[in-house]
Amino acid sequence: MNAGRGRLAPGTQLLLVALAFLVPLALAFWLYYGGHAFAPEGRTNHGELLQPIVNLRDALPESRTAALAEDRWLLVHVHGGACEADCRDALYRLRQSHRMLGRDMQRVQRVFLHGPEGPDRVFLEHEHPGLLAFEDPAAAALITGKRPQDRAPGGLYLIDPLGNLVMYFPPDVAPGDMVDDIEHLLDLSQIG
């Protein structure tokens, strides 16, 4: 009987070991970078991070809005005119997003910065309990001035507990998508 029968030559053994390592690696590389359906999707924000960061406390130390941001995140809607359908829709998105935060809703305060023509107080108390609504023209001007020009006005702004204006959510962003972004930031944050 031949003792070498059934054994592979040392060069063949080395080639098989190398293929056992390289074939899965090449397949993974091809699937990931080949643009196939198996490629993972990158994280996308539904809102837009505002750059450069502006700190409301530094820019407007006397602002009521800046003072509110001391221990909580603020989700802010700014509307200078009468609160008609588009304004009410924004307040609805604001309320629904806040509710969807669940246990994290304690960390976020809803704020409505209105113009000289104040909103219907009965409507606000009935439909939006807990919403802080007041006039702060300097903060409203600063905040809306940071909206990306390619984004529609009338959205919501996120301010962190340090007073930094962080993110803008355009009016067409669904509340669930907005909450995904906010929860991601809250998970990463050690403040507020």
Side-chain angles (χ1 to χ4, degrees):
M1 208 158 177
N2 186 351
R5 191 172 179 188
R7 291 183 75 115
L8 298 174
T12 306
Q13 289 177 350
L14 182 61
L15 180 62
L16 287 175
V17 169
L19 286 175
F21 172 74
L22 293 175
V23 168
L25 184 64
L27 180 62
F29 187 86
W30 177 71
L31 288 174
Y32 186 82
Y33 292 105
H36 300 281
F38 301 109
E41 294 181 25
R43 168 116 175 108
T44 57
N45 292 328
H46 302 285
E48 188 158 334
L49 291 171
L50 299 175
Q51 296 292 335
I53 296 289
V54 172
N55 186 284
L56 266 66
R57 284 191 217 139
D58 292 343
L60 303 168
E62 302 299 318
S63 166
R64 180 174 176 191
T65 307
L68 283 174
E70 288 197 22
D71 60 347
R72 287 181 157 178
W73 292 76
L74 303 180
L75 192 54
V76 180
H77 176 61
V78 180
H79 190 84
C83 194
E84 301 295 336
D86 58 338
C87 172
R88 288 177 183 236
D89 287 345
L91 293 179
Y92 173 78
R93 277 193 333 277
L94 179 61
R95 184 186 70 204
Q96 293 306 102
S97 301
H98 189 252
R99 286 181 177 170
M100 291 172 72
L101 286 170
R103 63 179 173 80
D104 284 331
M105 66 191 271
Q106 308 303 334
R107 298 175 66 188
V108 180
Q109 174 64 55
R110 295 173 298 138
V111 177
F112 174 35
L113 298 180
H114 59 76
E117 185 180 333
D120 178 357
R121 292 288 170 186
V122 174
F123 164 75
L124 289 183
E125 289 172 12
H126 184 262
E127 295 292 322
H128 302 284
L131 174 69
L132 297 180
F134 54 91
E135 189 177 3
D136 189 348
L142 176 68
I143 291 169
T144 57
K146 294 302 176 182
R147 176 184 54 82
Q149 294 305 308
D150 61 333
R151 298 293 187 143
L156 303 174
Y157 296 85
L158 185 66
I159 300 171
D160 73 14
L162 299 176
N164 296 314
L165 186 55
V166 178
M167 190 170 266
Y168 177 71
F169 298 99
D172 60 347
V173 172
D177 293 337
M178 192 180 329
V179 168
D180 287 345
D181 285 358
I182 294 170
E183 284 182 334
H184 183 70
L185 288 172
L186 291 175
D187 288 344
L188 293 175
S189 173
Q190 299 301 314
I191 54 175

